[in-house]
Amino acid sequence: MPIEPFVELACPLDGEPLDQHDKTWVCPQGHSYDQARQGYVNLLPVQHKRSKDPGDSKAMVAARQRFLATGHYQPVVELIARLCCPSPLPDADFNILDAGCGEGYYLRQFAELAPASMKVRMAGLDISKDAVLAAAKQDKRQSWLVGSNAHLPVQNASLDRLLCVFGFPVANEFARVLKPGGRLIQVDPGPAHLRELREVLYERVDAQTEPKAPQLDGFQLIEEDEVSYSFRLDSGKQIQDLLAMTPHGHRAPKDGKARVAALTALEVTAEIFVRVYEPITDV
Ligand SMILES: C[S@@+](CC[C@H](N)C(=O)[O-])C[C@H]1O[C@@H](n2cnc3c(N)ncnc32)[C@H](O)[C@@H]1O
Ligand SMILES: [Zn+2]
């Protein structure tokens, strides 16, 4: 399948289209952004940063990379791949952005699973430079961008699919960048997700409530899938990687983390909601 970089980029400062001149992207106002040696472009101006190194740390990125490489989230990959393929398949370029792509796992997997006749242009964006660097090192076929979901450096109505996998949706930006008829694929943990890990970490784990699909302004929910299964972590190292890639790695109390550190195996529930939203177009 031809996989090419998505290039309908926009200046993060003024929204004007960016033109590529060799390894530099330039807007009509003269703002310019160089491609790094490793192939990614930093489109996160200092004005849009709330801290020096926003997003996931290098250690979290490495832990997620090792965990995902074990294939424990393969059922989610397959569902996302199905939802990314329209029927009938398009003749024209099909543009996909993964907003909050981490180390690029889902785009790499989609590149393997997508039908051979589909011509896809892909970009992965993350606010964490370490995440984007890890993504760019593993695959050169996509555009890899450091940027924020709050100011996507992407032209209006340029995307067919927008992925937000365990990420942070920004409804108005997401609606701006999708084409009419495009789709947002939002992936979130359900209330039972990683329950066994949380039961070791915390003295009390709240009772499960029936989950409700989040309302996203400007979007209507058109499909909701639940993926539930359990998987086994066979070593203390795998358990530590799972802990390190979740917010519990920071949030959990010391004694809870010590109990997890003593584990050598753990059977864990995966409960993941994959929701498809369509932008509401004015009539
Ligand atoms: C839980 S991780 C999920 C990463 C990836 N989607 C995956 O599932 O492997 C959330 C990601 O969102 C990124 N992130 C946090 N705030 C963001 C923002 N405002 N814009 C873009 N990415 C952001 C983090 O750096 C992190 O890589
Ligand atoms: Zn500009």
Side-chain angles (χ1 to χ4, degrees), residues 2 65 72 210:
Q65 186 171 338
H72 288 312
E210 195 53 36

Side-chain angles (χ1 to χ4, degrees), residues 6-238:
F6 169 76
V7 288
E8 291 175 50
L9 304 181
C11 176
L13 291 170
D14 50 41
E16 296 280 339
L18 288 176
D19 258 346
Q20 188 172 15
H21 300 276
D22 193 21
K23 298 209 163 161
T24 303
W25 292 84
V26 188
C27 92
Q29 307 294 332
H31 303 120
S32 80
Y33 307 90
D34 292 332
Q35 187 178 307
R37 186 169 40 85
Q38 299 87 348
Y40 69 89
V41 186
N42 191 334
L43 294 171
L44 183 68
V46 70
Q47 297 90 313
H48 295 170
K49 284 186 176 189
R50 295 223 188 103
S51 63
K52 188 171 166 285
D53 290 313
D56 280 10
S57 67
K58 196 172 179 175
M60 288 172 85
V61 170
R64 181 170 297 108
Q65 186 171 338
R66 287 190 297 267
F67 171 82
L68 290 171
T70 61
H72 288 312
Y73 281 3
Q74 190 63 20
V76 186
V77 165
E78 283 164 17
L79 181 54
I80 291 176
R82 174 174 73 73
L83 296 170
C84 277
C85 293
S87 173
L89 290 176
D91 295 328
D93 284 1
F94 198 76
N95 295 339
I96 302 179
L97 173 74
D98 186 351
C101 63
E103 52 82 45
Y105 177 71
Y106 293 92
L107 286 186
R108 283 197 306 281
Q109 293 296 312
F110 181 66
E112 301 309 318
L113 295 176
S117 60
M118 201 173 163
K119 185 171 172 207
V120 187
R121 289 189 174 270
M122 301 207 274
L125 169 142
D126 202 283
I127 205 165
S128 157
K129 192 172 145 190
D130 286 313
V132 175
L133 183 57
K137 281 183 180 166
Q138 294 178 80
D139 200 328
K140 307 285 175 211
R141 294 173 290 178
Q142 296 89 338
S143 300
W144 298 111
L145 313 168
V146 180
S148 170
N149 289 359
H151 304 272
L152 288 173
V154 166
Q155 294 175 25
N156 295 352
S158 58
L159 294 168
D160 297 284
R161 293 288 182 274
L162 181 55
L163 306 183
C164 186
V165 184
F166 300 115
F168 306 94
V170 180
N172 61 335
E173 267 302 85
F174 284 13
R176 177 183 70 78
V177 296
L178 277 167
K179 292 179 187 173
R183 302 270 193 272
L184 163 63
I185 299 169
Q186 176 72 37
V187 179
D188 291 305
H193 191 54
L194 309 183
R195 184 172 48 79
E196 297 82 355
L197 180 68
R198 287 183 282 124
E199 283 171 355
V200 181
L201 282 171
Y202 302 101
E203 296 292 340
R204 221 189 85 201
V205 171
D206 286 339
Q208 294 169 27
T209 48
E210 195 53 36
K212 269 205 186 137
Q215 291 272 353
L216 291 176
D217 281 351
F219 284 94
Q220 60 180 346
L221 182 69
I222 57 169
E223 181 173 338
E224 181 169 35
D225 296 285
E226 183 183 340
V227 188
S228 296
Y229 56 96
S230 61
F231 62 92
R232 189 179 159 80
L233 301 168
D234 281 323
S235 70
K237 176 79 180 126
Q238 281 191 16

